[in-house]
Short mmCIF file of all heavy atoms in Angstrom, two decimals:
data_model
loop_
_atom_site.label_atom_id
_atom_site.label_comp_id
_atom_site.label_asym_id
_atom_site.label_seq_id
_atom_site.Cartn_x
_atom_site.Cartn_y
_atom_site.Cartn_z
N GLU A 1373 -133.67 -37.67 124.04
CA GLU A 1373 -134.64 -36.65 123.70
C GLU A 1373 -135.88 -37.03 122.91
O GLU A 1373 -136.91 -36.37 123.01
CB GLU A 1373 -133.91 -35.51 123.00
CG GLU A 1373 -132.90 -34.73 124.01
CD GLU A 1373 -133.64 -33.94 124.96
OE1 GLU A 1373 -134.37 -32.99 124.56
OE2 GLU A 1373 -133.59 -34.17 126.13
N ALA A 1374 -135.77 -38.23 122.13
CA ALA A 1374 -136.81 -38.63 121.30
C ALA A 1374 -137.76 -39.48 122.11
O ALA A 1374 -138.90 -39.68 121.78
CB ALA A 1374 -136.29 -39.36 120.14
N LEU A 1375 -137.31 -40.14 123.22
CA LEU A 1375 -138.21 -41.02 123.95
C LEU A 1375 -139.35 -40.27 124.66
O LEU A 1375 -139.16 -39.02 124.97
CB LEU A 1375 -137.42 -41.70 125.04
CG LEU A 1375 -136.52 -42.99 124.56
CD1 LEU A 1375 -135.57 -43.33 125.62
CD2 LEU A 1375 -137.50 -44.11 124.13
N PRO A 1376 -140.48 -40.77 124.84
CA PRO A 1376 -141.61 -40.12 125.40
C PRO A 1376 -141.29 -39.73 126.85
O PRO A 1376 -140.61 -40.41 127.56
CB PRO A 1376 -142.75 -41.10 125.35
CG PRO A 1376 -142.19 -42.40 125.24
CD PRO A 1376 -140.88 -42.24 124.51
N PRO A 1377 -141.79 -38.68 127.32
CA PRO A 1377 -141.72 -38.30 128.71
C PRO A 1377 -142.15 -39.41 129.66
O PRO A 1377 -143.12 -40.05 129.42
CB PRO A 1377 -142.45 -37.00 128.85
CG PRO A 1377 -142.55 -36.45 127.57
CD PRO A 1377 -142.62 -37.66 126.64
N GLY A 1378 -141.44 -39.55 130.79
CA GLY A 1378 -141.85 -40.53 131.84
C GLY A 1378 -141.33 -41.96 131.49
O GLY A 1378 -141.79 -42.88 132.22
N ASN A 1379 -140.50 -42.11 130.53
CA ASN A 1379 -139.96 -43.36 130.23
C ASN A 1379 -138.99 -43.87 131.22
O ASN A 1379 -138.54 -43.08 132.16
CB ASN A 1379 -139.25 -43.40 128.81
CG ASN A 1379 -137.98 -42.55 128.90
OD1 ASN A 1379 -136.90 -43.02 129.29
ND2 ASN A 1379 -138.10 -41.30 128.42
N ASP A 1380 -138.57 -45.16 131.21
CA ASP A 1380 -137.79 -45.73 132.18
C ASP A 1380 -136.41 -46.14 131.65
O ASP A 1380 -135.86 -47.10 131.83
CB ASP A 1380 -138.36 -47.01 132.78
CG ASP A 1380 -137.67 -47.45 134.12
OD1 ASP A 1380 -137.14 -46.65 134.74
OD2 ASP A 1380 -137.90 -48.63 134.56
N GLU A 1381 -135.84 -45.17 130.86
CA GLU A 1381 -134.58 -45.33 130.20
C GLU A 1381 -133.48 -45.02 131.21
O GLU A 1381 -133.50 -44.18 132.05
CB GLU A 1381 -134.46 -44.35 129.05
CG GLU A 1381 -133.07 -44.32 128.38
CD GLU A 1381 -132.53 -42.96 128.05
OE1 GLU A 1381 -132.97 -41.99 128.68
OE2 GLU A 1381 -131.60 -42.93 127.28
N ILE A 1382 -132.35 -45.80 130.98
CA ILE A 1382 -131.05 -45.60 131.65
C ILE A 1382 -129.95 -45.70 130.68
O ILE A 1382 -129.85 -46.67 129.98
CB ILE A 1382 -130.82 -46.51 132.91
CG1 ILE A 1382 -129.62 -46.16 133.62
CG2 ILE A 1382 -130.84 -47.97 132.42
CD1 ILE A 1382 -129.57 -46.74 135.06
N GLY A 1383 -129.16 -44.55 130.57
CA GLY A 1383 -128.10 -44.44 129.62
C GLY A 1383 -126.77 -44.75 130.13
O GLY A 1383 -126.39 -44.22 131.14
N PHE A 1384 -125.96 -45.50 129.37
CA PHE A 1384 -124.58 -45.76 129.72
C PHE A 1384 -123.66 -45.01 128.86
O PHE A 1384 -123.75 -45.13 127.55
CB PHE A 1384 -124.24 -47.29 129.60
CG PHE A 1384 -125.18 -48.05 130.41
CD1 PHE A 1384 -126.43 -48.54 129.82
CD2 PHE A 1384 -124.88 -48.48 131.81
CE1 PHE A 1384 -127.31 -49.37 130.66
CE2 PHE A 1384 -125.73 -49.26 132.39
CZ PHE A 1384 -126.94 -49.70 131.97
N GLU A 1385 -122.92 -44.09 129.32
CA GLU A 1385 -122.11 -43.14 128.55
C GLU A 1385 -120.70 -42.95 129.25
O GLU A 1385 -120.69 -42.73 130.50
CB GLU A 1385 -122.82 -41.93 128.42
CG GLU A 1385 -122.04 -40.78 127.74
CD GLU A 1385 -121.48 -41.12 126.32
OE1 GLU A 1385 -122.36 -41.56 125.45
OE2 GLU A 1385 -120.28 -40.97 126.11
N LEU A 1386 -119.67 -42.99 128.47
CA LEU A 1386 -118.36 -42.83 129.10
C LEU A 1386 -117.88 -41.39 129.10
O LEU A 1386 -117.13 -41.00 130.10
CB LEU A 1386 -117.37 -43.68 128.23
CG LEU A 1386 -115.85 -43.57 128.73
CD1 LEU A 1386 -115.73 -44.26 130.19
CD2 LEU A 1386 -115.04 -44.54 127.75
N ASP A 1387 -118.17 -40.60 128.13
CA ASP A 1387 -117.70 -39.16 128.02
C ASP A 1387 -118.27 -38.35 129.14
O ASP A 1387 -119.55 -38.29 129.22
CB ASP A 1387 -118.07 -38.60 126.72
CG ASP A 1387 -117.65 -37.19 126.50
OD1 ASP A 1387 -116.29 -37.07 126.26
OD2 ASP A 1387 -118.35 -36.25 126.62
N ALA A 1388 -117.40 -37.62 129.85
CA ALA A 1388 -117.90 -36.89 130.97
C ALA A 1388 -118.77 -35.70 130.64
O ALA A 1388 -119.78 -35.44 131.26
CB ALA A 1388 -116.71 -36.34 131.88
N ALA A 1389 -118.42 -35.00 129.56
CA ALA A 1389 -119.19 -33.87 129.14
C ALA A 1389 -120.51 -34.35 128.65
O ALA A 1389 -121.66 -33.68 128.93
CB ALA A 1389 -118.52 -33.10 128.02
N ALA A 1390 -120.65 -35.42 127.87
CA ALA A 1390 -121.96 -36.01 127.47
C ALA A 1390 -122.80 -36.40 128.65
O ALA A 1390 -124.04 -36.34 128.63
CB ALA A 1390 -121.71 -37.13 126.56
N CYS A 1391 -122.21 -36.98 129.70
CA CYS A 1391 -122.90 -37.38 130.86
C CYS A 1391 -123.56 -36.08 131.56
O CYS A 1391 -124.66 -36.11 132.00
CB CYS A 1391 -121.96 -38.04 131.90
SG CYS A 1391 -121.64 -39.76 131.45
N ARG A 1392 -122.82 -35.01 131.60
CA ARG A 1392 -123.32 -33.74 132.22
C ARG A 1392 -124.46 -33.26 131.44
O ARG A 1392 -125.49 -32.74 131.90
CB ARG A 1392 -122.23 -32.74 132.35
CG ARG A 1392 -121.19 -33.06 133.40
CD ARG A 1392 -120.37 -31.92 133.79
NE ARG A 1392 -119.67 -31.23 132.67
CZ ARG A 1392 -118.40 -31.63 132.18
NH1 ARG A 1392 -117.80 -32.54 132.87
NH2 ARG A 1392 -117.92 -30.95 131.29
N THR A 1393 -124.35 -33.33 130.08
CA THR A 1393 -125.49 -32.98 129.10
C THR A 1393 -126.69 -33.78 129.40
O THR A 1393 -127.81 -33.23 129.55
CB THR A 1393 -125.02 -33.01 127.65
OG1 THR A 1393 -123.93 -32.15 127.46
CG2 THR A 1393 -126.17 -32.63 126.84
N ARG A 1394 -126.57 -35.07 129.49
CA ARG A 1394 -127.67 -35.93 129.69
C ARG A 1394 -128.35 -35.65 131.07
O ARG A 1394 -129.65 -35.52 131.12
CB ARG A 1394 -127.16 -37.44 129.68
CG ARG A 1394 -126.78 -37.93 128.36
CD ARG A 1394 -126.41 -39.39 128.47
NE ARG A 1394 -127.46 -40.16 129.14
CZ ARG A 1394 -128.61 -40.63 128.66
NH1 ARG A 1394 -128.85 -40.43 127.33
NH2 ARG A 1394 -129.43 -41.32 129.38
N ILE A 1395 -127.53 -35.54 132.13
CA ILE A 1395 -128.10 -35.37 133.39
C ILE A 1395 -128.94 -33.96 133.45
O ILE A 1395 -129.94 -33.85 134.00
CB ILE A 1395 -127.02 -35.42 134.50
CG1 ILE A 1395 -126.50 -36.87 134.63
CG2 ILE A 1395 -127.53 -34.95 135.87
CD1 ILE A 1395 -125.22 -37.06 135.37
N GLY A 1396 -128.17 -32.93 132.86
CA GLY A 1396 -128.84 -31.63 132.89
C GLY A 1396 -130.15 -31.58 132.07
O GLY A 1396 -131.00 -30.80 132.34
N ALA A 1397 -130.30 -32.52 131.19
CA ALA A 1397 -131.42 -32.62 130.32
C ALA A 1397 -132.55 -33.53 130.94
O ALA A 1397 -133.66 -33.67 130.46
CB ALA A 1397 -131.11 -33.15 128.96
N GLY A 1398 -132.13 -34.10 132.02
CA GLY A 1398 -133.11 -34.97 132.78
C GLY A 1398 -133.16 -36.47 132.49
O GLY A 1398 -134.17 -37.11 132.66
N HIS A 1399 -132.05 -36.92 131.94
CA HIS A 1399 -131.93 -38.33 131.59
C HIS A 1399 -131.09 -39.08 132.59
O HIS A 1399 -129.94 -38.74 132.82
CB HIS A 1399 -131.31 -38.49 130.16
CG HIS A 1399 -132.16 -37.65 129.14
ND1 HIS A 1399 -133.40 -37.84 128.98
CD2 HIS A 1399 -131.80 -36.64 128.27
CE1 HIS A 1399 -133.81 -37.00 127.96
NE2 HIS A 1399 -132.86 -36.29 127.66
N ARG A 1400 -131.58 -40.26 133.06
CA ARG A 1400 -130.87 -40.99 133.95
C ARG A 1400 -129.62 -41.54 133.35
O ARG A 1400 -129.59 -42.07 132.17
CB ARG A 1400 -131.67 -42.22 134.59
CG ARG A 1400 -132.78 -41.79 135.48
CD ARG A 1400 -133.40 -42.95 136.19
NE ARG A 1400 -133.95 -43.88 135.14
CZ ARG A 1400 -134.23 -45.20 135.57
NH1 ARG A 1400 -134.10 -45.60 136.74
NH2 ARG A 1400 -134.75 -45.94 134.63
N THR A 1401 -128.57 -41.48 133.95
CA THR A 1401 -127.18 -41.74 133.37
C THR A 1401 -126.28 -42.50 134.29
O THR A 1401 -126.12 -42.10 135.46
CB THR A 1401 -126.58 -40.42 132.96
OG1 THR A 1401 -127.42 -39.73 132.06
CG2 THR A 1401 -125.23 -40.68 132.22
N ILE A 1402 -125.58 -43.42 133.76
CA ILE A 1402 -124.38 -44.16 134.55
C ILE A 1402 -123.20 -43.82 133.57
O ILE A 1402 -123.14 -44.27 132.43
CB ILE A 1402 -124.63 -45.57 134.65
CG1 ILE A 1402 -125.87 -45.91 135.59
CG2 ILE A 1402 -123.37 -46.24 135.16
CD1 ILE A 1402 -126.13 -47.33 135.75
N ARG A 1403 -122.23 -43.13 134.18
CA ARG A 1403 -121.00 -42.94 133.53
C ARG A 1403 -120.11 -44.21 133.64
O ARG A 1403 -119.75 -44.57 134.76
CB ARG A 1403 -120.20 -41.76 134.01
CG ARG A 1403 -118.99 -41.52 133.25
CD ARG A 1403 -118.16 -40.38 133.74
NE ARG A 1403 -117.00 -40.26 132.81
CZ ARG A 1403 -115.86 -39.57 133.16
NH1 ARG A 1403 -115.76 -38.96 134.32
NH2 ARG A 1403 -114.79 -39.49 132.30
N CYS A 1404 -119.83 -44.79 132.51
CA CYS A 1404 -119.05 -46.07 132.56
C CYS A 1404 -118.66 -46.49 131.18
O CYS A 1404 -119.12 -45.92 130.24
CB CYS A 1404 -119.92 -47.19 133.17
SG CYS A 1404 -121.35 -47.76 132.11
N ASP A 1405 -117.74 -47.50 131.14
CA ASP A 1405 -117.34 -48.20 129.88
C ASP A 1405 -118.49 -49.29 129.74
O ASP A 1405 -118.51 -50.29 130.48
CB ASP A 1405 -116.07 -48.77 130.00
CG ASP A 1405 -115.64 -49.53 128.76
OD1 ASP A 1405 -116.54 -49.74 127.88
OD2 ASP A 1405 -114.48 -49.97 128.59
N VAL A 1406 -119.46 -49.17 128.80
CA VAL A 1406 -120.46 -50.10 128.65
C VAL A 1406 -120.06 -51.53 128.27
O VAL A 1406 -120.75 -52.45 128.73
CB VAL A 1406 -121.51 -49.58 127.52
CG1 VAL A 1406 -120.88 -49.60 126.23
CG2 VAL A 1406 -122.86 -50.26 127.64
N THR A 1407 -118.87 -51.59 127.76
CA THR A 1407 -118.35 -52.95 127.41
C THR A 1407 -117.98 -53.71 128.67
O THR A 1407 -117.75 -54.91 128.66
CB THR A 1407 -117.12 -52.89 126.51
OG1 THR A 1407 -116.03 -52.28 127.22
CG2 THR A 1407 -117.44 -52.04 125.25
N GLN A 1408 -117.77 -53.04 129.82
CA GLN A 1408 -117.37 -53.66 131.10
C GLN A 1408 -118.49 -53.75 132.10
O GLN A 1408 -118.39 -54.43 133.12
CB GLN A 1408 -116.29 -52.85 131.73
CG GLN A 1408 -115.03 -52.75 130.81
CD GLN A 1408 -114.38 -54.03 130.41
OE1 GLN A 1408 -114.26 -54.94 131.26
NE2 GLN A 1408 -114.20 -54.23 129.17
N TYR A 1409 -119.77 -53.18 131.74
CA TYR A 1409 -120.77 -53.14 132.72
C TYR A 1409 -121.54 -54.56 132.70
O TYR A 1409 -121.82 -55.06 131.59
CB TYR A 1409 -121.81 -52.01 132.36
CG TYR A 1409 -122.54 -51.54 133.59
CD1 TYR A 1409 -122.00 -50.51 134.36
CD2 TYR A 1409 -123.74 -52.11 134.02
CE1 TYR A 1409 -122.69 -50.13 135.43
CE2 TYR A 1409 -124.41 -51.71 135.09
CZ TYR A 1409 -123.87 -50.59 135.87
OH TYR A 1409 -124.59 -50.24 136.93
N PRO A 1410 -121.93 -55.00 133.82
CA PRO A 1410 -122.61 -56.33 133.88
C PRO A 1410 -124.03 -56.27 133.35
O PRO A 1410 -124.72 -55.24 133.67
CB PRO A 1410 -122.60 -56.72 135.30
CG PRO A 1410 -122.38 -55.46 136.12
CD PRO A 1410 -121.64 -54.48 135.19
N THR A 1411 -124.40 -57.20 132.67
CA THR A 1411 -125.87 -57.30 132.12
C THR A 1411 -126.79 -57.86 133.12
O THR A 1411 -127.98 -57.58 133.06
CB THR A 1411 -125.88 -58.08 130.81
OG1 THR A 1411 -125.44 -59.36 131.06
CG2 THR A 1411 -124.99 -57.45 129.74
N TRP A 1412 -126.38 -58.68 134.02
CA TRP A 1412 -127.31 -59.50 134.91
C TRP A 1412 -128.09 -58.60 135.80
O TRP A 1412 -129.23 -58.96 136.17
CB TRP A 1412 -126.46 -60.49 135.80
CG TRP A 1412 -125.50 -59.81 136.78
CD1 TRP A 1412 -124.15 -59.61 136.59
CD2 TRP A 1412 -125.83 -59.30 138.03
NE1 TRP A 1412 -123.71 -58.94 137.65
CE2 TRP A 1412 -124.61 -58.82 138.57
CE3 TRP A 1412 -127.01 -59.21 138.77
CZ2 TRP A 1412 -124.61 -58.18 139.84
CZ3 TRP A 1412 -126.97 -58.61 140.01
CH2 TRP A 1412 -125.69 -58.09 140.54
N VAL A 1413 -127.56 -57.35 136.03
CA VAL A 1413 -128.35 -56.41 136.80
C VAL A 1413 -129.74 -56.20 136.30
O VAL A 1413 -130.66 -55.85 136.99
CB VAL A 1413 -127.55 -55.12 136.91
CG1 VAL A 1413 -128.29 -54.05 137.81
CG2 VAL A 1413 -126.24 -55.30 137.49
N PHE A 1414 -129.94 -56.29 134.91
CA PHE A 1414 -131.14 -55.91 134.25
C PHE A 1414 -131.94 -57.06 133.73
O PHE A 1414 -132.93 -56.94 133.01
CB PHE A 1414 -130.88 -54.93 133.09
CG PHE A 1414 -129.99 -53.75 133.53
CD1 PHE A 1414 -128.59 -53.74 133.24
CD2 PHE A 1414 -130.58 -52.73 134.27
CE1 PHE A 1414 -127.81 -52.64 133.71
CE2 PHE A 1414 -129.73 -51.58 134.66
CZ PHE A 1414 -128.45 -51.63 134.32
N LYS A 1415 -131.51 -58.25 134.07
CA LYS A 1415 -132.24 -59.41 133.59
C LYS A 1415 -133.66 -59.59 134.09
O LYS A 1415 -134.01 -59.19 135.28
CB LYS A 1415 -131.54 -60.74 134.01
CG LYS A 1415 -130.41 -61.24 133.20
CD LYS A 1415 -129.92 -62.58 133.58
CE LYS A 1415 -128.84 -63.07 132.59
NZ LYS A 1415 -129.32 -63.41 131.32
N GLY A 1416 -134.62 -59.84 133.19
CA GLY A 1416 -136.04 -59.97 133.64
C GLY A 1416 -136.76 -58.67 133.72
O GLY A 1416 -137.92 -58.67 134.01
N ARG A 1417 -136.16 -57.54 133.44
CA ARG A 1417 -136.86 -56.27 133.57
C ARG A 1417 -136.36 -55.19 132.48
O ARG A 1417 -136.45 -54.05 132.69
CB ARG A 1417 -136.57 -55.59 134.92
CG ARG A 1417 -135.16 -55.40 135.36
CD ARG A 1417 -135.04 -55.19 136.86
NE ARG A 1417 -133.64 -54.83 137.27
CZ ARG A 1417 -133.41 -53.62 137.65
NH1 ARG A 1417 -134.19 -52.54 137.55
NH2 ARG A 1417 -132.14 -53.38 138.02
N THR A 1418 -136.02 -55.77 131.30
CA THR A 1418 -135.56 -54.88 130.15
C THR A 1418 -136.72 -54.96 129.10
O THR A 1418 -136.97 -55.97 128.48
CB THR A 1418 -134.30 -55.45 129.52
OG1 THR A 1418 -133.30 -55.35 130.63
CG2 THR A 1418 -133.86 -54.45 128.43
N GLU A 1419 -137.30 -53.77 128.96
CA GLU A 1419 -138.40 -53.65 127.90
C GLU A 1419 -137.75 -53.32 126.55
O GLU A 1419 -138.07 -53.96 125.52
CB GLU A 1419 -139.32 -52.57 128.28
CG GLU A 1419 -140.30 -52.22 127.21
CD GLU A 1419 -141.07 -50.91 127.51
OE1 GLU A 1419 -140.82 -50.25 128.47
OE2 GLU A 1419 -141.94 -50.54 126.65
N GLY A 1420 -136.84 -52.37 126.50
CA GLY A 1420 -136.23 -51.96 125.20
C GLY A 1420 -134.78 -51.91 125.24
O GLY A 1420 -134.12 -51.72 126.31
#
């Protein structure tokens, strides 16, 4: 909610209710265990 509009954020969240809140608020979301998600997908294109 603090990031400026139009940002390229993608959030990793495990809790189902929190994911629904994020999606309803307009934030790109992947529901997952972030400790198991591969990092290579984002190599070379991570600003923040």
Side-chain angles (χ1 to χ4, degrees):
E1373 286 290 295
L1375 284 166
N1379 68 82
D1380 196 20
E1381 176 223 20
I1382 185 163
F1384 304 89
E1385 172 60 53
L1386 182 59
D1387 183 78
C1391 287
R1392 293 198 299 273
T1393 297
R1394 287 183 51 81
I1395 294 167
H1399 306 301
R1400 291 192 301 166
T1401 303
I1402 295 177
R1403 187 186 178 197
C1404 68
D1405 178 350
V1406 70
T1407 69
Q1408 303 301 311
Y1409 207 87
T1411 59
W1412 64 264
V1413 180
F1414 307 102
K1415 273 188 179 293
R1417 54 195 187 106
T1418 301
E1419 173 192 359

